[in-house]
Amino acid sequence: MYVQHETRHAELADHIEELVRAAVPWVEKVTGLPLPRPRFELVDVDGLALAYRAFVRRQMERDTAGLDLTRWEQAKLVGQPQAAELMVRRGGLSRKPVLVATSIGKPSTLIVPEALGLQKLRETPDLLCDLLVRSLAQQAQVLAGDGQIVPAPEWPKSPTARHPIVQLSEGHAQWTSSQATRQITGSTQQNRGPLAKRLARSVLEPMADRRVARASALVDQAVSARGLTAFNAVWNTPGLAPTLDEFRHPGRWIGRMPPP
């Protein structure tokens, strides 16, 4: 387990590491996926912007390897990492944990403590644990497929929130948290005060919108119908992820999944 941080976040990093240590066995049990060495990095917006730019560049180089690109596509390929950095600096990603694959293909979750208000989240351990469990589930997805399926491709570019891989990844993360978080914290989501409710809206809502809820329900149906082993083939089998149409018609996707 590894939590990288700056000196001013040492206490927070220790708290996150303690929660992650408690969460890992539950995430492994719920997902059926191993998590040998989770990695979290507490960074400022500048650190996140530079790391995300490098991540997007690596993803695009991988996604376009061997393709015969037009001059327009080549120009877009060059400009996309810079556009990704600018989006972060404008606050487009800094308000939630960001999953990246490192230069050696290992997953890492980047967190900007000031933007997420993590110091206040310490007062609501169920919410902080929920956030970390979701991140751990996504790291397990990356490891299961050596980064070939998750994170989602950067080329050709599509609206991020609607990309089937993004929806499946976040839906699976929500499904995992719905089963694991209460077991880890021993608390109930219903017993929240005003502070917790505000934090839930400001921090967690982007990952709990209608599309993610639908994806979480799809994961639950698929696991119930096929079992964890068959379901987890989605993380390392190209073409097995559900299409946008299959999110609306779960039976079609379940019908083409591997048998139990």
Side-chain angles (χ1 to χ4, degrees), residues 111-181:
I111 296 174
V112 180
E114 293 82 2
L116 284 173
L118 278 182
Q119 298 289 356
K120 291 183 179 180
L121 270 178
R122 292 185 62 182
E123 302 171 25
T124 53
D126 57 330
L127 288 177
L128 178 55
C129 187
D130 175 272
L131 182 149
L132 296 173
V133 166
R134 290 170 187 254
S135 299
L136 287 169
Q138 291 183 304
Q139 290 194 31
Q141 298 161 12
V142 179
L143 291 171
D146 292 326
Q148 296 305 303
I149 306 297
V150 179
E154 288 289 332
W155 184 276
K157 192 67 177 175
S158 65
T160 301
R162 285 184 53 81
H163 196 291
I165 297 297
V166 173
Q167 291 189 55
L168 181 66
S169 173
E170 294 189 349
H172 177 256
Q174 177 169 297
W175 174 80
T176 302
S177 181
S178 70
Q179 299 186 59
T181 297

Side-chain angles (χ1 to χ4, degrees), residues 16-31:
I16 288 175
E17 185 159 350
E18 180 182 354
L19 269 177
V20 168
R21 196 178 302 279
V24 165
W26 283 101
V27 173
E28 291 182 324
K29 179 180 179 179
V30 169
T31 64

